[in-house]
Amino acid sequence: GGTASISRFRGALVGAVLGDCLGGEFEGAEEVPMDRVLQHLNGLDHDTRGDSILQYSDDTAMTRCVVQSLLTRGEFDQQDMAHRFAEEYRQAPGRGYGSGVVQVLRKLSSPRLSDVFQPARAQFGGRGSFGNGGAMRAVPFALAFRNLADVKRYARLGAMLTHSCSLGYNGAVLQTLAVHYALQGALAVPQAFINRLISEMEGVEGDDQARNDARALNEPEFPFCARLHKVKDLMEQNAVSIEEVISELGNGIAALHSVPTAIFCVLHCLEPRAGLPEQYGGLERTVAYCLALGGDTDTIACMAGAIAGAHYGADAIPPSWQRCCEGAEEAEAWAHRLHLLYHQPPQGG
Ligand code: R7I
Ligand code: MG
Ligand code: MG
């Protein structure tokens, strides 16, 4: 499809849901042979599962809240979004939330709370969480806002409702930027895509908060930029092993150890790769590759699925996958509504 087409919107949202549902099988696993991944994925082709579907986790549960808030309010409304997170958690606490964030979600349900960003700031001794929970639910911000400054601003604020550490919310900004550029077709030139992300993140990570957090957590200055440079190095290598990806970029629950990894998976799988079935298209390769990394597979596949879906569009999604993932059908409807919001002329003022 063309730039910011409906097909790309559908691809992004459905891709995110599929990554979450399909990746759940291996979340936390240390070593996942590609054979097991392919067995899992190819099993979806046959009707052996009967009526059973793969359930989504917190990644999709919170993404749904972001979508519904943006669509209902027509803009970013921090109170509304915070209350939706809290209510979703209250109704379905068993979706596999991070162990720290549940405290924030409980506090956010208090009607007496006046500053909805306060519970997030109290996490982890006052520094806030650097988990990838802000990034995993970031895709709707790229689909609701067209203007680059808005994309960055609202992705950050949306993440700060639970993740007040810059290593958490800047991961959400990076993920949103990746989807934003993918929607515009920027993955057609992979080198330009990664360079653009680096130059944007140089601005994002240049503030005092980011510098202080990086120092306090013993990370280099501009930590996401440093990881994106590693992504670039890996892109230039002929052969890259899974072990190398894990040791260079990570596969963990920290945004810093998963968002650049997801971006790498998309870039690496733009071409056919040894070890991946020849009949697989790019989106299938991307999801399979993410699962084979082990670690935080649902979240890495969710983020990579969103970026890849925005690039390849809805036609790249195997119907057999979509059929067996909870929430994937509904994601189609959100895509249509977000597409309208995105292309809505700016409100006069
Ligand atoms: O980031 P978050 O919402 O978790 C998302 C992950 C995804 O993989 C989901 O699929 C789900 O499985 O959980 O939840 P948080 O609790 O904020 O952060 C996740 C974990 O990161 C925490 O439970 C901690 O183990 C770790 N963590 C930290 N540890 C020490 N110091 C996050 N921030 C810190 C920190 O500042
Ligand atoms: Mg999850
Ligand atoms: Mg996860």
Side-chain angles (χ1 to χ4, degrees):
T3 289
S5 64
I6 180 68
S7 173
R8 290 184 189 270
F9 274 62
R10 290 166 57 208
L13 279 174
V14 177
V17 174
L18 295 191
D20 179 17
C21 293
L22 297 170
E25 175 85 3
F26 304 108
E27 191 181 20
E30 222 162 87
E31 268 173 52
V32 186
M34 187 59 88
D35 283 356
R36 271 192 66 205
V37 170
L38 298 179
Q39 208 174 16
H40 176 54
L41 295 176
N42 297 338
L44 310 172
D45 268 340
H46 311 292
D47 235 349
T48 47
R49 300 190 157 264
D51 290 332
S52 77
I53 59 163
L54 299 170
Q55 296 205 326
Y56 64 72
S57 77
D58 57 331
D59 304 46
T60 300
M62 295 193 90
T63 301
R64 291 165 59 95
C65 295
V66 174
V67 169
Q68 282 156 0
S69 181
L70 292 172
L71 287 175
T72 308
R73 306 297 303 160
E75 61 182 354
F76 176 67
D77 177 336
Q78 59 211 39
Q79 304 275 348
D80 181 77
M81 200 171 283
H83 291 138
R84 285 175 195 272
F85 289 155
E87 186 55 20
E88 168 63 34
Y89 175 68
R90 206 181 58 80
Q91 286 187 14
R95 293 274 187 190
Y97 287 87
S99 56
V101 76
V102 299
Q103 293 176 49
V104 178
L105 297 174
R106 286 197 199 103
K107 290 181 189 169
L108 286 177
S109 67
S110 163
R112 287 183 308 279
L113 186 71
S114 56
D115 177 5
V116 288
F117 294 105
Q118 191 278 328
R121 284 198 297 266
Q123 292 295 96
F124 297 100
R127 196 185 298 114
S129 172
F130 53 61
N132 56 20
M136 75 187 181
R137 61 174 191 255
V139 54
F141 292 102
L143 305 183
F145 303 102
R146 188 166 34 158
N147 171 278
L148 183 64
D150 287 344
V151 168
K152 289 188 281 189
R153 176 159 168 240
Y154 296 123
R156 177 179 201 262
L157 287 170
M160 285 175 79
L161 291 169
T162 50
H163 292 68
S164 78
C165 176
S166 62
L167 279 103
Y169 64 72
N170 281 341
V173 174
L174 173 56
Q175 166 65 9
T176 315
L177 286 170
V179 177
H180 170 81
Y181 288 125
L183 274 184
Q184 296 174 9
L187 274 162
V189 189
Q191 283 298 334
F193 177 84
I194 192 78
N195 287 338
R196 240 182 200 171
L197 289 180
I198 292 171
S199 75
E200 278 304 324
M201 290 307 289
E202 280 168 356
V204 168
E205 296 195 283
D207 66 7
D208 288 345
Q209 183 69 51
R211 286 167 182 274
N212 292 340
D213 286 342
R215 200 172 309 121
L217 289 162
N218 250 327
E219 291 292 342
E221 280 192 308
F222 296 89
F224 283 98
C225 291
R227 295 261 158 173
L228 290 171
H229 280 289
K230 286 188 181 181
V231 169
K232 229 177 125 164
D233 293 344
L234 291 175
M235 281 166 74
E236 280 156 16
Q237 283 180 32
N238 289 329
V240 181
S241 69
I242 295 269
E243 292 72 26
E244 242 176 311
V245 177
I246 297 170
S247 73
E248 289 295 305
L249 302 175
N251 63 356
I253 212 165
L256 188 62
H257 303 156
S258 50
V259 183
T261 310
I263 292 169
F264 173 76
C265 291
V266 176
L267 289 163
H268 182 73
C269 294
L270 286 169
E271 294 164 30
R273 293 286 174 185
L276 287 165
E278 274 174 40
Q279 74 274 16
Y280 268 17
L283 186 127
E284 292 157 289
R285 287 195 295 269
T286 305
V287 170
Y289 194 80
C290 291
L291 270 47
L293 293 180
D296 196 358
T297 48
D298 66 333
T299 304
I300 293 172
C302 171
M303 297 189 295
I307 302 165
H311 173 60
Y312 298 108
D315 292 345
I317 292 169
S320 60
W321 291 17
Q322 185 160 359
R323 266 198 304 276
C324 61
C325 292
E326 183 192 12
E329 269 321 307
E330 203 186 336
E332 295 272 355
W334 312 337
H336 285 274
R337 294 181 59 196
L338 284 166
H339 188 250
L340 289 175
L341 186 62
Y342 182 97
H343 288 288
Q344 183 180 285
Q347 302 291 307

